[in-house]
Amino acid sequence: MGGETRTPITGSSLPQRSAGPVGKQIHSIYKGRLGTFTDRGQYANENLMAKMYEGKASGEDYIKLSVYSPPDLARPTFDEATSHGFTKTQIGASFGPSWSTHWIKVELRVPSTLQGKELLELHWDAHNEGLIWTGDGVPLQGLTGNGERIEWILPDEFRDGKFHTFYIEMACNGMFGNAPGGDSIQPPDPNKYFWLTQAEIVAVNVQARQLFIDFWIIGDAAREFSESSWESHKALQLTNRIMDVFEIGNGSQDSIIECRKLATQYIGNVNSANVYDTDKEHLVYAIGNCHIDTCWLWPWAETKRKIARSWSNQCDLIDRYPEHRFVASQAQQFKWLEILYPTLFDRVKTKIKEGTFQTVGGSWVEHDTNMPSGESLSRQFLYGQRFFESRFGERCRTFWLPDTFGYSSQLPQLCRLAGMSRFFTQKISWNNINNFPHSTFNWVSLDNSQVICHMAPDNTYTAAAHFGDVRRSLEQNKSMDQDPTGILAFGKGDGGGGPTWEMLEKLRRCRGMSDTTGLLPRVKMGETVEDFFDQLEKKAEKGTKFVTWYGELYLELHRGTYTSQANNKWNNRKTEIMLHDIEYLATLATLRDNTYNYPKKDLDDIWENTLLCQFHDCLPGSAIEMCYRDSDKTYAYGFKTGKKLIKDALSVLGFSEIDSTYERLVAVNTLPWPRKEIVELPEIVRSLNTKYALIQGDCGAQNVQRLMNAYATSKASIEEIRDGIFELSNNHYKVQVEGGSITSLIDLVEDREIIAKGGKANQLVIFDDKPLYWQAWDVEVYHFETRKELPSGTSQIIEQGPHKVSLMTETKISEDSWIKTTISLTASIDDQPSYIEVASEVEWRETMKILKVEFPVDIVNTEAAYETQYGIIRRPTHYNTSWDMAKFEVCCHKWADLSEHGYGVSILNDSKYGFATTGNMMRLSLLKAPKAPDAHADMGRHHIRWAIMPHAGPLDSRTVRTAANFNHPMKIYSHPSTSQASALLSMITLRGSPALVLDVIKRGEDDEDVSRGELPTRRGRSIIVRVYESLGGRARGAIQTCLDIKAVWKTNLLEDDGEQMVLSGGEVPIELRAFEVATFRFQL
């Protein structure tokens, strides 16, 4: 058809003919290729690694070395060490043995060929830890060894061609102690030696080093992003292109610079902290930290040096990387730094004021929270917060405890009472049965107090700041329904060290990647832990409802820590009891005599040492033997000092030691309720017919009535009713014993058999104890399958009444181990609770075994109750779910109880903590025998006490009080007047609900006659009274006093005044909610 037009064909940029075949990349091959670019093996002379340095210098022309080696494993100060003569040494020399110290004098001269280079470093590797000091004694930087943190940037003044002198304090241990071979938890090798393999001046090719980090992070994107993402493909193409450019340019400096330009296509400009200056939303808060175990695979003395090495490193990094924010906890470590390294402490203090070095935690150490008493947990916060406030002008707002073996149900309440509403941890990610379901949540205490808790989604507090750590900080966040943000806690830890320059460089690239390419969660540095929690609290304020977790955060691992190192645990509980008594008696002594000085310094020393020993590898029993030698000495000092303090306070109150049979005897009851007990008289006042006395009275001083055998009104009896079968009885119980086991226990009042049919209570059993790895830490669920009853031994009556009867049984455990158990029954006293007491003496020489004692009781309940700090926790007795089964071994304090409606049985203990209740079988764990990290853990002689206390009716104050009595035996003294003594010891008492426990009477920390001047003093004198509700219900009562009191305030744990209380007629009415801990300050 006419009139049509044609559209001309336009040209195309696509060549008409193919230039040749192009294949699809085999990604596995091209990803594999990336490793050859930074390989330190066969390609190291040809790849990027060959370009890392522009020059090196070593040898005596440039580095002269000499050494002073202190004798006897001493750790002298800088001044002491440098006052000695030094002898020549060199590369290749060995240093040892384990735990020894060697001071190296380094005289260094930079050659003229290197003086103009951009970056000069000393590279020093003796494969052990070290600390660099200036010539005049200023600590500069720590060294790790074994290729890690071996570099020190030389000061510019060293570029003058002259010799400059500095020192390296060499510690003959690695970051994780001195374990032989590659298994760090094995007992340390005492004869380990370390070789100095590197001591050289190095001119760093800065562009090559930076390219190394660029390539590392972009390569991670290629490897770890999903292959379905274009970001992964782009990263792979770019990294291969970088390799091509480097190879084509023969590795020239120009080619390295060109490679870095290519890298910016993916990560942007990452050469400064400006990379974080964009206003784009970030989800990951990168917080540098350096977890330093106060003792673990090294002793306390080495920890003190680890602190200096680690924190000096961080001060240096903060100077070089302005975005770096570093956190540190543990007031004890700051105190050591203050005493031993004052110039470094001042440097840290300056960083804290600038906001770049942040104090967190609020506690004296990063402590165990399972076994310390409630008052010990309170004192962790009291001493920790007071230290931080006195040195740095502020208290901590966040409780930081990333590495403890489970978290007590009362911690949220105590945190709030100590001024902290936030909690950071991650340890529950170590569960070996169930996966904890939350990352950010409100953790609720027994009393309904709450803190906002965050568990690092990356599941570590020692992240290496890899690409994967940033990615997991979002991908593994389990709380994204409420909030997607998370903390990335990075830095080398446990053995100290903290973040490295490489980590900070990697994080810059991760942030640059997020802004330039995307997909990776955006990480932010320059903000603090408090900034992170502030934004969570603001979200809660605006209506975000974070999920809740009620009760303990039980760690489904490390259950053996309730039992390992039994002597250490005994020391802990006895010291806690002693401190309670010292404070109570010393407070009363100050009220009796104005010339008596409250022993604040001695109390502080004992408390600080006790809190130190509650560190989460010391008290749990998971440290090396050297640590327990240290703690034994520390406790011995405390007992010696404490004994004198009690004697001094009692003397002021008119008490004296008994030195004749004719003195008026008075028992001192330091517990806050009346007691009525039959006790053994001191040896000096016994006679042939008078071994026992009845102690009875109200709180404080109690009357001591000698009991004559011939006139006993209430009796206990024992007889062998059949061959090898013995019957013990009093007015409450009839007990049959065969071979040391209780085959029948009848409650005569209730006419009820307590022992399950066919069962044997007080049965000693031994189990194989070979956990998957962590010997001292763990006891695994399969240990139950290796149960072995210890064979019956020979029994003999050793006490025949009438006030007390006892039956002793000897049992052989093995060729090297034995146990003697003495079952005793005391004559019953009116309506006072009665119990069957067992005292044992054990010679323990086993290997990888655990010893327990069993109590099968005729009680049915799906839950058992256990004493915990300031309250009770109930746990399942069944295995319905994996969460239930996981609690096959749990922590208890002075008692465990299994009750049904109308009746129950409590098992009391003295200084034991491990317990298990399965069905109707109650088991108290007595001893473990791990061989790592302490090869001699628990070996030797032990004395252990426990008791069986049946009770009609529910679990109530009878168990709480009787268990406390069991652990607080009364002591008998001489006093001219029982009534006067009673009045002196009863100046402050508590009446009302038996659920209320008056737990502490002490002087105010800042009273002008008590204060040690660390914080502003408070005029006048005051008394601190702490009360808690022990049974789980609202309780009313009144604190009574005969003292002249001006006013009373309810305070927090830190003794800040809050609500003023009503004071009328010498009484302060109080009402506590379930499991509440309440503190009151009485102003005199």
Side-chain angles (χ1 to χ4, degrees), residues 555-569:
L555 178 64
E556 297 175 0
L557 197 70
H558 295 355
R559 304 167 184 89
T561 57
Y562 316 142
T563 305
S564 291
Q565 298 288 358
N567 184 61
N568 194 54
K569 291 172 168 60

Side-chain angles (χ1 to χ4, degrees), residues 383-564:
Y383 277 86
Q385 290 285 51
R386 287 179 62 82
F387 182 90
F388 289 124
E389 183 179 9
S390 65
R391 278 19 175 230
F392 310 121
E394 60 183 11
R395 298 169 176 172
C396 299
R397 298 170 61 199
T398 297
F399 184 34
W400 181 278
L401 197 59
D403 191 31
T404 288
F405 313 144
Y407 300 89
S408 165
S409 54
Q410 285 286 48
L411 280 175
Q413 179 180 188
L414 299 181
C415 284
R416 297 306 294 259
L417 290 171
M420 294 179 287
S421 60
R422 300 99 180 264
F423 175 45
F424 173 83
T425 187
Q426 65 80 46
K427 196 67 176 186
I428 304 302
S429 68
W430 283 45
N431 280 2
N432 70 347
I433 296 179
N434 296 288
N435 187 7
F436 192 79
H438 312 303
S439 294
T440 302
F441 56 98
N442 284 327
W443 182 25
V444 185
S445 191
L446 291 179
D447 79 315
N448 215 39
S449 298
Q450 67 178 3
V451 293
I452 191 161
C453 177
H454 181 69
M455 296 188 183
D458 194 32
N459 293 338
T460 183
Y461 53 91
T462 59
H466 290 318
F467 171 97
D469 291 311
V470 175
R471 184 171 54 84
R472 285 187 294 272
S473 294
L474 181 65
E475 287 185 1
Q476 294 181 177
N477 191 321
K478 303 168 189 173
S479 300
M480 287 194 282
D481 287 348
Q482 293 80 38
D483 181 76
T485 62
I487 285 178
L488 171 59
F490 70 98
K492 294 184 180 297
D494 294 330
T500 65
W501 67 266
E502 287 179 313
M503 296 178 188
L504 298 170
E505 292 286 355
K506 286 187 286 182
L507 288 171
R508 284 183 176 180
R509 284 151 181 82
C510 287
R511 174 55 183 261
M513 182 186 299
S514 300
D515 288 344
T516 305
T517 301
L519 194 59
L520 186 68
R522 190 169 287 107
V523 64
K524 178 67 183 292
M525 290 199 68
E527 296 193 350
T528 66
V529 171
E530 305 311 337
D531 292 329
F532 171 77
F533 280 107
D534 282 345
Q535 58 94 22
L536 291 181
E537 291 189 356
K538 287 176 183 175
K539 287 180 180 178
E541 187 179 348
K542 292 178 180 179
T544 298
K545 293 183 178 180
F546 291 101
V547 296
T548 54
W549 185 272
Y550 284 79
E552 70 179 328
L553 292 170
Y554 176 85
L555 178 64
E556 297 175 0
L557 197 70
H558 295 355
R559 304 167 184 89
T561 57
Y562 316 142
T563 305
S564 291

